[in-house]
Amino acid sequence: MGSRICGFLRRTGWTLWLAALVLGPVQWAHAASPDPSLVAKINAATFEVVIPRAGNDPLTYEKPLPLDLLPYQERTDKYFSVGTAFAIGHNHYVTAGHVLLAAVGDLTGAPALRDASGHVYAIDKVEKFSLQQDFVMFSLKEQPHDNASLATNTKAALNSVVYAVGNALGTGVVIRDGLYTSDTPEDENGRWKWMRFSAAASPGNSGGPLLDQNGKVIGVVLMKSPNENLNYALPIGEVLNAPDNAAVMDKRITYQLDVVEDTQTSTFKAQFPLPAAYADFSATYLKLFYAQGDEQLKKLLQQQGDDLFPHGPGSNHILHETPELSLFPELIVRNRSGQWSYTGRELNRVPLSGNGYVASGYVGHNFLIHLRRPDDMQATTFYNDPKQMMDLILKTGYWTREIGPEKIKITSLGKPASSSTYTDDWLRHWKVFVWSLPYINGQMEVFALPVPDGLAIMMRMNPSMGTHDSLADMKALTDFFNVDYGGTLAQWKQFLADSSLLPEVLRDAHIDFDYSKHFSYDASNISFGYPSALQSITPDNVLFLGVGYYQDHGKFALQPGVIQVRLNSTDPDRISVKRHITPSPDLDDNFKEAWGKLLHKQHPFDGVPYNDGDEMDVAAVIDPPASDAPQELYTAFYGTQGTHKPEAMKAKLKLLTQQLKVKSH
């Protein structure tokens, strides 16, 4: 239909931020104004809907906030505005449903009404509510002295003059004229008709009255059309005729998970009794709303179950290819052709002291981050202090707070509002943190997966009402989160020392090394070792463990697919052991050709050294346990810079393979 003037909270992971609007004196913008005798009454019966500003700011900034750059009223105002409300009888007030919902789950306090003189009135009871028609009726704990209210007209005439009243663009309550042009059925099944009108409406107008030429309420201003100069209001008769003492939800809601294009659409249908105090209304609504979202996610995963990665033919490409040794996190996403593929790449990198860095990118609604631990920060501190972790991420300078024309860098979010852990279906152990951002009524959710050189991170920011949904989404997305494990041997030593950090895939692998002497790897499927005569064994060696998705006793499990040890981060000399899976019939000829070379030990897997650019390589297939048709094969590889005698290269390969053992499953 149209875009919500105040921004309707949608179940999409990202939601619109609330604008900080301010109240000013009543202004007029019109070609034909109402009778002057009505002006004072309209002014007295129309209010801002406001939310308290945060009293204490837990954030730290690069410098004191230059609040003097803000207009005086904005920097001294203890509230910010989210819309407009109006009175239609003794202690009966109406606003848009999405205006009140904008404050549900608010971090700083309950919404209230504010009059033109600046007096604030607390909401007492919510009396009527309709999610689908987008209105709410409520009472106040304290009545304004004049008890002004607006009369209603349920039979407005098409093409008549109308006035849209509201707190437009934060400039104060403005009255703007236009015409009531037409009616249009609501989208789902035409249960009622929206009023369309040409009077200007801006952010802040949501919930304000649409008046006829006599100053009577004919509708509640709700939406602005993005494509034409027409706006939408709910006829006031729909409010008056709605069930008394009931909150009704009967609205179609569409849900989507970032890794699939398919959506889950269902009707959010529920009802609960009113009147209720705002806190009780808010708690009950959120309970039902969150349950609806949880059920949609559950249904989506169930309906897609047979085709969700790693199931279904669209997964075969990933299941049969060698892990790519990506330390930057990715999401496994299904494209339009039904094929699953790794999605996400590093778009920016900011260096930190001590060889650390923050690499970042995004997929869908998710920031993806690889945070490399600075060498001068203790591993125990890094993995167990979320404040310091976030302080490092903030060094990128991406997160700022706008004050007038300036963007002030946020340097710390302080301690998280909540900390927990989560274990995904691949038995990886995530650290989960939520930080509050009261100045925008928002929260930041972080899922951090420990890896040897730091953390692989998935992060979101959204209004506080969206936190529950985001956490549920992100838990589901962890099963589609791909990252390999890598770091220097010095980093691995500290990482392996803390068993709480280790995923199941690493618990199965016993990694041992003695600098200048030997390196060994022993897991359920393969073991090997080599002396320093093959490749120097130092703290600067870089060990990569590329993980893949393999069937194990009828179930899929995360298991090593590549073990590679580089001489260091700049020298490409390396040894590696790779796992290869026989291709499924639906895979293209490239897979089948590569498998044929492995089966027949053809170049480059024939043990014959060869030149590859400015380095020399040698590789061989390891004989599997006795089998007429092996389902998987392993290769051993050694590569070094420069040109070397073939006999020397073969001797290096022998040092690697003589202790290499492929085990039976």
Side-chain angles (χ1 to χ4, degrees):
M1 169 74 71
S3 60
R4 298 297 186 190
I5 293 173
C6 272
F8 192 79
L9 295 175
R10 298 179 183 175
R11 188 185 302 285
T12 58
W14 290 108
T15 47
L16 299 178
W17 298 108
L18 300 176
L21 305 179
V22 295
L23 179 68
V26 172
Q27 302 176 31
W28 300 92
H30 58 84
S33 64
D35 189 293
S37 64
L38 293 176
V39 173
K41 186 174 183 179
I42 294 172
N43 185 35
T46 305
F47 304 81
E48 282 184 289
V49 182
V50 296
I51 298 174
R53 292 184 184 272
N56 297 315
D57 189 353
L59 279 59
T60 303
Y61 305 92
E62 62 177 332
K63 65 179 183 179
L65 296 176
L67 298 178
D68 59 305
L69 296 177
L70 297 175
Y72 172 79
Q73 184 170 348
E74 184 175 347
R75 70 174 181 263
T76 58
D77 198 344
K78 295 181 180 180
Y79 297 86
F80 64 88
S81 176
V82 294
T84 306
F86 57 94
I88 58 169
H90 178 68
N91 208 10
H92 291 303
Y93 298 83
V94 174
T95 187
H98 70 269
V99 168
L100 209 65
L101 291 180
V104 169
D106 190 80
L107 300 175
T108 59
L113 300 193
R114 183 165 63 181
D115 63 21
S117 67
H119 190 88
V120 175
Y121 304 89
I123 292 175
D124 185 17
K125 304 287 187 182
V126 176
E127 299 172 338
K128 289 185 179 184
F129 171 77
S130 172
L131 179 66
Q132 60 275 19
Q133 293 179 303
D134 196 12
F135 79 85
V136 62
M137 181 183 291
F138 55 92
S139 62
L140 300 179
K141 293 182 178 180
E142 174 195 358
Q143 281 287 283
H145 294 303
D146 49 23
N147 284 317
S149 64
L150 300 173
T152 61
N153 173 13
T154 60
K155 296 181 180 181
L158 282 172
N159 299 314
S160 60
V161 173
V162 295
Y163 300 95
V165 183
N167 179 39
L169 293 172
T171 58
V173 174
V174 177
I175 299 179
R176 292 182 282 193
D177 67 294
L179 295 177
Y180 168 23
T181 61
S182 60
D183 297 316
T184 184
E186 62 90 16
D187 287 348
E188 289 187 24
N189 50 28
R191 289 171 289 181
W192 66 89
K193 291 184 178 180
W194 301 112
M195 305 173 71
R196 297 207 299 177
F197 61 94
S198 62
S202 308
N205 271 103
S206 280
L210 182 67
L211 306 178
D212 66 14
Q213 59 187 357
N214 298 315
K216 294 182 178 181
V217 179
I218 62 173
V220 185
V221 177
L222 296 179
M223 293 178 288
K224 182 177 180 65
S225 172
N227 301 318
E228 56 184 334
N229 188 29
L230 289 175
N231 303 304
Y232 294 81
L234 178 72
I236 194 63
E238 297 294 330
V239 177
L240 299 175
N241 296 329
D244 290 328
N245 303 326
V248 180
M249 285 71 69
D250 188 4
K251 183 176 178 64
R252 189 165 56 220
I253 294 178
T254 299
Y255 178 90
Q256 184 176 24
L257 195 63
D258 280 332
V259 294
V260 294
E261 289 191 338
D262 303 77
T263 58
Q264 169 63 36
T265 300
S266 61
T267 300
F268 178 24
K269 195 163 187 174
Q271 187 168 324
F272 60 90
L274 297 176
Y278 174 76
D280 295 332
F281 166 84
S282 174
T284 303
Y285 176 81
L286 285 179
K287 182 179 179 180
L288 295 169
F289 182 71
Y290 292 155
Q292 170 73 15
D294 293 344
E295 184 64 21
Q296 283 185 293
L297 173 57
K298 180 180 177 181
K299 286 182 178 179
L300 178 64
L301 295 176
Q302 287 176 341
Q303 290 174 1
Q304 299 287 319
D306 292 340
D307 295 316
L308 285 178
F309 181 84
H311 305 283
S315 303
N316 282 336
H317 194 283
I318 289 180
L319 296 178
H320 292 84
E321 66 183 359
T322 303
E324 56 186 15
L325 297 182
S326 172
L327 298 186
F328 188 79
E330 305 161 306
L331 288 180
I332 301 173
V333 177
R334 187 172 62 203
N335 60 31
R336 292 185 177 181
S337 66
Q339 299 296 310
W340 293 91
S341 61
Y342 298 120
T343 304
R345 60 188 178 91
E346 180 180 329
L347 298 176
N348 200 9
R349 180 178 294 199
V350 175
L352 303 174
S353 63
N355 296 316
Y357 62 77
V358 182
S360 59
Y362 65 91
V363 175
H365 301 106
N366 311 282
F367 291 107
L368 299 180
I369 292 174
H370 177 208
L371 174 58
R372 187 188 190 278
R373 175 172 63 88
D375 295 338
D376 53 5
M377 180 177 288
Q378 291 295 319
T380 53
T381 299
F382 177 82
Y383 289 116
N384 297 296
D385 187 341
K387 177 184 180 300
Q388 289 204 43
M389 175 200 75
M390 183 54 65
D391 288 353
L392 291 174
I393 294 174
L394 292 172
K395 288 182 181 295
T396 59
Y398 300 154
W399 285 273
T400 61
R401 179 171 176 179
E402 292 190 18
I403 302 292
E406 291 195 30
K407 294 183 178 181
I408 312 301
K409 292 180 183 178
I410 300 171
T411 58
S412 180
L413 301 185
K415 294 182 178 180
S418 68
S419 301
S420 59
T421 59
Y422 178 72
T423 301
D424 63 27
D425 283 352
W426 303 111
L427 302 180
R428 298 175 297 189
H429 310 298
W430 296 77
K431 296 176 180 290
V432 182
F433 307 108
V434 176
W435 276 272
S436 294
L437 309 171
Y439 77 100
I440 51 173
N441 189 30
Q443 290 191 307
M444 180 182 290
E445 302 91 19
V446 171
F447 277 61
L449 182 67
V451 292
D453 73 335
L455 291 165
I457 293 170
M458 180 168 50
M459 182 168 69
R460 288 184 175 187
M461 292 175 62
N462 46 256
S464 56
M465 184 184 176
T467 298
H468 176 94
D469 282 355
S470 275
L471 290 175
D473 281 2
M474 294 169 81
K475 286 179 180 179
L477 290 175
T478 59
D479 294 335
F480 303 88
F481 186 97
N482 182 75
V483 69
D484 295 314
Y485 292 80
T488 65
L489 291 186
Q491 291 171 326
W492 274 93
K493 187 174 184 179
Q494 295 184 64
F495 181 71
L496 293 170
D498 187 347
S499 61
S500 68
L501 303 176
L502 304 182
E504 194 66 25
V505 65
L506 293 182
R507 293 181 186 275
D508 175 62
H510 181 71
I511 301 171
D512 187 38
F513 47 86
D514 192 350
Y515 299 139
S516 302
K517 294 182 180 180
H518 74 273
F519 174 92
S520 66
Y521 174 91
D522 188 4
S524 61
N525 58 335
I526 192 171
S527 65
F528 70 93
Y530 63 88
S532 59
L534 171 59
Q535 181 172 273
S536 297
I537 301 168
T538 71
D540 290 334
N541 284 174
V542 179
L543 169 62
F544 293 99
L545 197 67
V547 294
Y549 307 86
Y550 301 94
Q551 285 206 11
D552 185 13
H553 297 92
K555 296 182 179 180
F556 285 100
L558 201 63
Q559 295 180 354
V562 178
I563 304 99
Q564 183 186 102
V565 186
R566 294 175 65 104
L567 191 59
N568 54 56
S569 60
T570 59
D571 194 320
D573 285 12
R574 64 201 180 279
I575 67 97
S576 64
V577 175
K578 293 186 178 180
R579 183 179 184 178
H580 309 266
I581 305 297
T582 180
S584 58
D586 63 313
L587 291 176
D588 58 50
D589 290 343
N590 291 332
F591 281 87
K592 297 168 185 177
E593 180 181 355
W595 182 252
K597 288 183 177 181
L598 292 167
L599 279 176
H600 300 98
K601 298 183 179 180
Q602 297 174 345
H603 178 77
F605 309 113
D606 53 6
V608 178
Y610 60 95
N611 289 310
D612 185 7
D614 59 356
E615 71 174 34
M616 200 165 188
D617 302 334
V618 62
V621 177
I622 307 304
D623 291 329
S627 173
D628 294 333
Q631 296 301 301
E632 63 181 35
L633 292 169
Y634 288 82
T635 56
F637 170 93
Y638 173 72
T640 184
Q641 288 182 297
T643 302
H644 304 269
K645 293 181 178 180
E647 294 77 12
M649 294 295 292
K650 289 180 179 180
K652 293 282 191 178
L653 183 62
K654 184 177 180 180
L655 284 175
L656 175 58
T657 58
Q658 64 187 4
Q659 297 183 47
L660 202 160
K661 181 181 179 182
V662 178
K663 303 176 183 180
S664 300
H665 290 281

